[in-house]
């Protein structure tokens, strides 16, 4: 389980994160939505050990893999990027399986620096999914992808969860994606949890003022 208690992040006098209580269980997908600057990426970076917290505490019971919103590929071929990221034995086989899962087989021998934004994002996800972990932190995993790429990414994450039974904490700007992927949705606003609940209930009838504004802004999103 990931368990967060009174977690804060401050920059000088400015508080950017204040999470009183949040948990993510194995086998559960929790999706965080909210506007830019609401603290979504900051929260994931703290849990991943990229940023120090200012206060409070969190625990992660198990192994954890993190995919940042912007990921720079290694200066290698696409396949070698995956092999380099793999742990344990049969690294090449694992890379080939990941190429297939993410529809990157045709790019296997291409320098990763030449990939499009959406292709690069799929590769970044592959570098995470190539190893089995207890929890995934995914920061906007399909933000650069088109409709087809988004579908590939969502299916790959779902297959990984089915295979490993992992817990997932991810961010997205798309209520449609949140509806498709989440067991539970959390709305962040000004670094705090404005509301959380089951996808259909929260997205159709949010109770908080910000929840209503956010969903109304995105009511045409599928």
């Amino acid at each position: 389980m990931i368990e967060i208690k009174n977690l804060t992040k401050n920059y000088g006098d400015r508080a950017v994160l204040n999470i009183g209580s949040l948990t993510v269980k194995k086998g559960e997908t929790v999706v965080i939505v909210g506007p830019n600057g609401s603290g979504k990426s900051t929260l994931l970076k703290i849990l991943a050990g990229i940023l120090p917290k200012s206060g409070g505490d969190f625990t992660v019971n198990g192994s954890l893999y993190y995919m940042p919103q912007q990921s720079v590929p290694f200066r290698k071929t696409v396949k070698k990027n995956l092999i380099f990221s793999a742990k344990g034995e049969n690294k090449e086989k694992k890379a080939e399986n990941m190429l297939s899962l993410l529809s990157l087989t045709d790019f296997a021998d291409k320098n990763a620096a030449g990939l499009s934004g959406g292709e690069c994002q799929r590769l970044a996800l592959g570098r995470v999914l190539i190893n089995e972990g207890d929890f995934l932190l995914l920061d906007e995993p399909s933000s650069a992808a088109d409709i087809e790429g988004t579908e590939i990414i969502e299916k790959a994450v779902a297959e990984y969860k089915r295979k490993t039974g992992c817990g997932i904490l991810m961010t997205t700007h798309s209520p449609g994606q949140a509806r498709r992927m989440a067991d539970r949705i959390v709305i962040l606003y000004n670094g705090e949890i404005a509301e959380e609940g089951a996808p259909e209930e929260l997205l159709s009838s949010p109770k908080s003022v910000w929840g209503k504004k956010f969903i109304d802004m995105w009511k045409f999103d599928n």
Side-chain angles (χ1 to χ4, degrees):
M1 179 186 295
I2 296 175
E3 188 171 10
I4 298 168
K5 293 182 178 179
N6 301 316
L7 186 65
T8 62
K9 179 63 178 177
N10 303 319
Y11 290 106
D13 295 331
R14 185 168 67 94
V16 296
L17 198 68
N18 184 12
I19 304 296
S21 177
L22 180 64
T23 61
V24 182
K25 299 176 182 178
K26 282 199 69 176
E28 179 184 33
T29 299
V30 176
V31 177
I32 301 175
V33 299
N36 290 333
S38 61
K40 301 187 301 297
S41 295
T42 298
L43 173 59
L44 265 59
K45 287 177 181 177
I46 291 173
L47 296 177
I50 307 299
L51 286 177
K53 60 184 174 64
S54 297
D57 206 0
F58 67 90
T59 56
V60 180
N61 295 318
S63 56
L64 181 151
Y65 289 98
Y66 167 63
M67 176 186 170
Q69 187 172 351
Q70 295 181 332
S71 183
V72 179
F74 304 126
R75 293 183 177 274
K76 304 174 182 288
T77 65
V78 171
K79 185 176 181 179
K80 286 183 178 180
N81 263 262
L82 293 169
I83 291 174
F84 185 80
S85 301
K87 297 180 179 179
E89 301 178 349
N90 303 315
K91 293 183 178 182
E92 186 163 350
K93 181 62 177 177
K94 290 178 181 178
E96 290 171 353
N97 290 340
M98 199 54 55
L99 289 168
S100 176
L101 180 66
L102 292 165
S103 298
L104 291 171
T105 302
D106 290 344
F107 303 97
D109 298 321
K110 182 176 180 179
N111 191 310
L115 295 177
S116 69
E119 292 160 355
C120 188
Q121 201 159 39
R122 275 185 273 157
L123 174 58
L125 179 63
R127 283 163 40 185
V128 170
L129 300 187
I130 200 165
N131 297 304
E132 292 191 5
D134 296 305
F135 293 96
L136 297 180
L137 303 178
L138 306 176
D139 195 359
E140 297 276 357
S142 60
S143 59
D146 58 15
I147 293 174
E148 182 180 4
T150 296
E151 185 176 86
I152 290 169
I153 287 169
E154 290 181 4
K155 286 183 176 180
V157 172
E159 173 60 19
Y160 182 90
K161 180 182 174 183
R162 184 198 65 77
K163 180 181 177 182
T164 66
C166 72
I168 299 171
L169 181 62
M170 66 173 280
T171 68
T172 182
H173 274 91
S174 168
Q177 184 172 69
R179 183 185 293 112
R180 291 189 296 271
M181 299 189 70
D183 297 306
R184 179 160 46 100
I185 294 175
V186 174
I187 298 179
L188 277 192
Y189 182 63
N190 282 343
E192 300 184 357
I193 296 177
E195 189 168 356
E196 64 178 298
E200 290 304 323
E201 180 180 353
L202 189 147
L203 294 176
S204 61
S205 301
K207 295 178 175 57
S208 66
V209 172
W210 171 249
K212 292 176 182 178
K213 288 182 178 180
F214 180 76
I215 299 307
D216 191 52
M217 273 190 336
W218 290 96
K219 61 186 175 182
F220 296 112
D221 178 77
N222 293 313

